[in-house]
Amino acid sequence: MAQGTQTRRYEQVFSPYSEEEIAKINMIKRVFEWMQGDGEFADAASSGKFSDWQLLRLRRIGVDFDIQELALFWLDPEFESEMAACMEQDAIPPALEAKVKGYPLLELWARFANRKGRLRRQTRCDLFRVPECPPLDAWRWRQILAARSELGYFGHAIDYPILAFELGDGCSVGCWFCAFATQKLKRNLDYETEGDFFRDVASACVSLFGAREAAMALLYYGTEPHDNPHYLDFIKDYKKITGYATCTSTAVPLDTEWLRSLIRFYREERQPWPRLSVLTKDMMYKIHDLYTPDELRDVELLMQMREHKRGKVSGGRILAEHKGMREREAGAYLDGVVPQGTIACVSGFLVNMARRDIRVVSPCYTSEKWKYGYRVFDQAEFKDARDFPDVVRGLIARNMPTAPPRNAKARFRDDLVYKPTEDGFDLISPNQVHHFTGRNLHSALGGLVARGDLTYDGLDDELASTDGVNPLLAGMAVKSLFDGGFMDELYTDPL
Ligand code: SF4
């Protein structure tokens, strides 16, 4: 999808609405943010009993309508969850449609949220493929299927960018929940002396993957954008080279000059960023005091307060606090709760431009083994922009076969639990059960792969000598497990 298509998609979010309606949408968004970030205000919104101070504050932060216009929140206990779900649906459910009649602001919001969610999902689906680099394309697709299998619902909400460039080594913010457990900031990539290096690496990525595909990138990962004083210059350079403005998420929203420069940039680009991590209730209050509802029209606030009801991903710095996320490994699978298993999103290359190293990564369920919520398949160092393409090509050649590699071990993915059944086997991931049926073939195949000691060649030999198994069908079944992202793809030992 060309950049223009994505930009037009975001424009379409607002296109049916008048300026006055957009102003109301921005105010409703602000009320919802306060509800999400402050338990006391959320309680008031579910009882309809607001304090004088809360009502005054609503005015002060730019909400000029009568809060009673949102009364369904406290009159109908189901309404809040129905409204939240409507963003994930293709159309507003008739029951919700009927409820919001008579509440013009809520009807406006329901239409807006539903439209925004629908357009966002369409954009996400368009971005997955990398036709100019077939091995990377096939590998990524397998890893996306694996992530969806492991992460369940959350695996479908990830954008899976191909690249992330860290513009420094470490992070100065030190969030208590940092799922990447990033160390203290050691140094930044210097725009004056290393700007050419950055631009040359970006151009190399366009040659390797195509411009549209190289644009599926972040210029931060285990780093904070605000740490690099030239972050926005890097973003602009990357946009010049790929044709696309990459997104930004920051945990430093109170530097008004900086944040306003980001907001201006993305407003001109007609993109729904930046996204703000809100670390405390006090920080949310300050954000609402400092910026108008219109300024934050395209800015998502991600509530990260310690007391927030949405649990943190128990990885990185807080892995030990909850004994990792695989406490369910003991057998309590599929207990009805789907936790967010990772904050990782890149399926491809994580490039640290300060240390000059590259890791091949993809999101997975956070565990003792994968503490940061992504698998590291391989890693390599590079010297400069000249050897960067060859190092990437080497990583692709080593890690991204388009068919099962004959001499590699044929094993199931490390999160999967194998369970033989009467007519085949089940593979149980942290959030899904996959059934494989067909007694002769799948009973034999499942048992042999679960042994974990056979190469793909060895597996073929064993299957060929198994009574009642057609070798042709067996080969297809193995390929189908491989293409479906069920097989372990750690061919090197990068750790
Ligand atoms: S969560 Fe982000 S901003 Fe916070 S410490 Fe980790 S890398 Fe830094």
Side-chain angles (χ1 to χ4, degrees):
M1 183 180 57
Q3 181 215 349
T5 312
Q6 182 158 350
T7 300
R8 280 197 299 280
R9 284 250 170 88
Y10 188 61
E11 279 181 334
Q12 286 168 27
V13 170
F14 293 101
S15 57
Y17 304 109
S18 67
E19 275 183 28
E20 196 188 334
E21 285 173 320
I22 292 171
K24 293 290 182 215
I25 286 168
N26 296 337
M27 289 177 215
I28 302 168
K29 171 177 177 283
R30 181 148 290 201
V31 176
F32 289 166
E33 286 164 357
W34 191 1
M35 282 161 62
Q36 282 166 17
D38 179 353
E40 281 171 35
F41 186 73
D43 288 346
S46 55
S47 66
K49 293 180 186 138
F50 297 92
S51 70
D52 291 346
W53 177 80
Q54 286 168 333
L55 294 173
L56 264 177
R57 183 167 168 78
L58 279 171
R59 298 272 159 201
R60 203 175 87 204
I61 61 175
V63 178
D64 71 4
F65 56 78
D66 183 348
I67 196 71
Q68 292 303 323
E69 294 197 49
L70 307 186
L72 273 180
F73 274 99
W74 46 94
L75 295 179
D76 182 337
E78 307 295 321
F79 180 69
E80 187 175 350
S81 54
E82 285 173 337
M83 193 59 128
C86 121
M87 206 164 176
E88 304 300 326
Q89 286 153 336
D90 288 337
I92 302 172
L96 182 64
E97 186 111 45
K99 276 185 189 179
V100 293
K101 285 270 177 257
Y103 290 90
L105 286 187
L106 290 175
E107 188 176 2
L108 175 69
W109 182 265
R111 295 201 186 293
F112 167 76
N114 180 259
R115 182 179 179 81
K116 186 173 175 182
R118 206 170 54 238
L119 290 166
R120 186 188 279 182
R121 283 193 300 282
Q122 285 169 6
T123 305
R124 188 179 292 136
C125 294
D126 287 342
L127 292 173
F128 291 152
R129 308 314 300 236
V130 196
E132 293 206 22
C133 185
L136 174 62
D137 180 57
W139 178 87
R140 264 173 55 80
W141 191 241
R142 296 194 298 272
Q143 302 318 316
I144 290 171
L145 293 175
R148 288 174 169 182
S149 155
E150 286 188 72
L151 300 167
Y153 164 80
F154 284 100
H156 291 263
I158 296 175
D159 288 335
Y160 300 102
I162 293 173
L163 288 154
F165 297 97
E166 294 177 323
L167 303 179
D169 186 1
C171 171
S172 72
V173 182
C175 303
W176 61 271
F177 54 83
C178 183
F180 291 157
T182 301
Q183 302 295 307
K184 279 200 171 124
L185 180 66
K186 289 198 196 99
R187 88 166 192 93
N188 276 317
L189 190 71
D190 182 62
Y191 189 70
E192 292 305 318
T193 59
E194 296 173 294
D196 283 342
F197 160 61
F198 171 80
R199 288 182 286 275
D200 290 345
V201 165
S203 300
C205 288
V206 170
S207 304
L208 284 163
F209 311 126
R212 175 197 79 115
E213 292 75 12
M216 288 153 56
L218 304 166
L219 300 198
Y220 61 95
Y221 210 54
T223 47
E224 162 55 49
H226 182 266
D227 277 342
N228 193 307
H230 287 279
Y231 175 76
L232 190 51
D233 295 315
F234 283 113
I235 287 269
K236 287 176 180 172
D237 284 353
Y238 202 73
K239 196 226 147 177
K240 264 187 214 146
I241 291 163
T242 63
Y244 180 73
T246 59
C247 73
T248 296
S249 193
T250 175
V252 189
L254 304 182
D255 178 344
T256 51
E257 193 184 329
W258 183 71
L259 195 74
R260 286 203 166 99
S261 67
L262 279 182
I263 290 172
R264 261 196 313 278
F265 173 71
Y266 285 119
R267 184 72 66 108
E268 278 165 21
E269 293 295 326
R270 289 162 289 164
Q271 296 291 1
W273 302 306
R275 203 167 53 166
L276 309 183
S277 279
V278 187
L279 305 184
T280 61
K281 188 165 78 172
D282 192 45
M283 186 183 264
M284 181 196 66
Y285 280 10
K286 285 188 178 137
I287 291 170
H288 283 168
D289 284 333
L290 288 168
Y291 306 100
T292 65
D294 173 66
E295 277 185 294
L296 298 192
R297 183 192 77 182
D298 307 319
V299 177
E300 187 182 349
L301 269 57
L302 209 58
M303 302 303 170
Q304 302 278 22
M305 299 88 175
R306 201 178 271 271
E307 68 279 7
H308 196 269
K309 62 177 184 224
R310 184 171 51 80
K312 296 276 171 295
V313 172
S314 305
R317 203 162 282 155
I318 55 169
L319 184 78
E321 228 170 83
H322 298 88
K323 300 191 196 118
M325 295 205 59
R326 285 199 186 164
E327 67 270 31
R328 297 198 295 165
E329 243 170 356
Y333 285 99
L334 305 173
D335 56 6
V337 181
V338 180
Q340 183 182 342
T342 183
I343 63 157
C345 59
V346 170
S347 194
F349 304 98
L350 171 53
V351 184
N352 186 288
M353 295 293 282
R355 292 194 308 266
R356 304 199 179 194
D357 60 39
I358 311 174
R359 278 171 286 168
V360 179
V361 295
S362 195
C364 66
Y365 204 70
T366 302
S367 64
E368 279 293 337
K369 182 173 182 184
W370 305 115
K371 294 180 172 50
Y372 311 118
Y374 55 82
R375 287 192 178 85
V376 182
F377 295 85
D378 201 354
Q379 59 188 12
E381 293 179 354
F382 64 106
K383 286 200 278 304
D384 51 36
R386 274 168 304 190
D387 72 337
F388 177 83
D390 280 341
V391 173
V392 171
R393 282 190 203 101
L395 288 168
I396 291 173
R398 276 207 302 275
N399 297 284
M400 301 178 185
T402 50
R406 306 317 309 169
N407 295 322
K409 288 275 163 57
R411 294 182 293 228
F412 290 125
R413 224 171 54 217
D414 58 21
D415 62 295
L416 292 170
V417 175
Y418 164 77
K419 191 169 144 227
T421 59
E422 285 222 334
D423 61 347
F425 63 93
D426 288 346
L427 291 178
I428 307 168
S429 83
N431 284 300
Q432 276 188 65
V433 178
H434 304 274
H435 304 287
F436 298 85
T437 54
R439 176 185 271 279
N440 283 346
L441 172 57
H442 280 107
S443 290
L445 173 60
L448 290 170
V449 176
R451 269 170 50 182
D453 61 343
L454 293 169
T455 61
Y456 281 96
D457 265 344
L459 180 63
D460 280 356
D461 292 345
E462 289 279 347
L463 285 167
S465 61
T466 305
D467 279 348
V469 171
N470 177 324
L472 202 64
L473 290 181
M476 285 164 64
V478 172
K479 179 80 164 57
S480 158
L481 282 172
F482 179 78
D483 289 341
F486 295 105
M487 302 302 284
D488 182 282
E489 292 221 42
L490 275 129
Y491 305 120
T492 60
D493 185 9
L495 303 176

